[in-house]
């Protein structure tokens, strides 16, 4: 019964947004590969430091997706360049992040969801700390 509830929870989580998937660090090998969650091997990593905000997200996303020189470092331009990009899968590792601007992170996630809804890409895998570390 407990397994069925866990499976139903996972399905509900996926139904909310097929664009964004959360992977608990407990499901990641030491070499960074997924154990349970299927993070595609072609996923491009959005490298951020210890602070996650608009500036780091836009700069890191542009670098990871090789945005063109006309990228304007704002949310609208990020959506435009992301939907024109060939990148289909992204990962964002929050394990090293110490400070998150939640408003900026929520806007970023909504851009991913909007792009996925309109173009079927990208999908984002967010690696989060285990519950023991929260």
């Amino acid at each position: 019964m407990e397994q069925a509830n866990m499976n139903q929870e996972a399905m509900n989580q996926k139904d909310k947004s097929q664009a964004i998937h959360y992977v608990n660090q407990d499901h990641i090998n030491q070499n960074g590969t997924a154990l349970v969650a299927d993070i595609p091997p072609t996923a491009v990593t959005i490298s951020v430091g210890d602070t996650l905000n608009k500036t780091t997200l836009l700069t890191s996303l542009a670098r990871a997706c090789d945005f063109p020189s006309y990228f304007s470092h704002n949310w609208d331009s990020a959506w435009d360049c992301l939907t024109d990009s060939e990148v289909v899968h992204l990962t964002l590792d929050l394990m090293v992040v110490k400070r998150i601007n939640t408003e900026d992170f929520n806007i970023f996630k909504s851009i991913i969801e909007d792009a996925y809804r309109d173009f079927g890409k990208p999908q984002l895998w967010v690696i989060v700390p285990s519950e023991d570390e929260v």
Side-chain angles (χ1 to χ4, degrees):
M1 182 69 160
E2 187 174 88
Q3 182 65 32
N5 287 341
M6 288 175 28
N7 288 342
Q8 186 61 44
E9 274 185 348
M11 286 172 50
N12 289 343
Q13 178 78 9
K14 189 172 183 180
D15 288 343
K16 286 181 188 175
S17 171
Q18 293 180 343
I20 301 175
H21 307 274
Y22 294 90
V23 179
N24 187 292
Q25 113 177 27
D26 293 338
H27 299 136
I28 304 293
N29 281 329
Q30 288 180 359
N31 65 1
T33 58
L35 293 173
V36 175
D38 281 339
I39 299 175
T42 58
V44 175
T45 301
I46 303 168
S47 299
V48 294
D50 63 351
T51 300
L52 189 73
N53 58 28
K54 180 179 181 179
T55 301
T56 59
L57 280 167
L58 291 174
T59 302
S60 299
L61 181 64
R63 190 175 307 120
C65 296
D66 196 26
F67 284 176
S69 60
Y70 58 80
F71 173 58
S72 301
H73 291 274
N74 61 55
W75 296 122
D76 289 336
S77 185
W79 187 89
D80 290 340
C81 291
L82 188 60
T83 57
D84 287 342
S85 170
E86 296 298 317
V87 174
V88 177
H89 304 109
L90 295 164
T91 61
L92 177 63
D93 188 348
L94 297 182
M95 297 303 303
V96 297
V97 177
K98 294 179 178 28
R99 291 177 302 280
I100 297 177
N101 180 312
T102 54
E103 182 179 351
D104 292 344
F105 188 43
N106 288 335
I107 292 169
F108 171 73
K109 291 186 295 184
S110 72
I111 287 170
I112 298 293
E113 289 171 336
D114 288 347
Y116 183 80
R117 184 174 36 255
D118 292 349
F119 293 92
K121 67 176 182 110
Q123 287 182 295
L124 172 67
W125 280 262
V126 181
I127 303 168
V128 296
S130 66
E131 291 181 18
D132 296 343
E133 294 185 25
V134 175

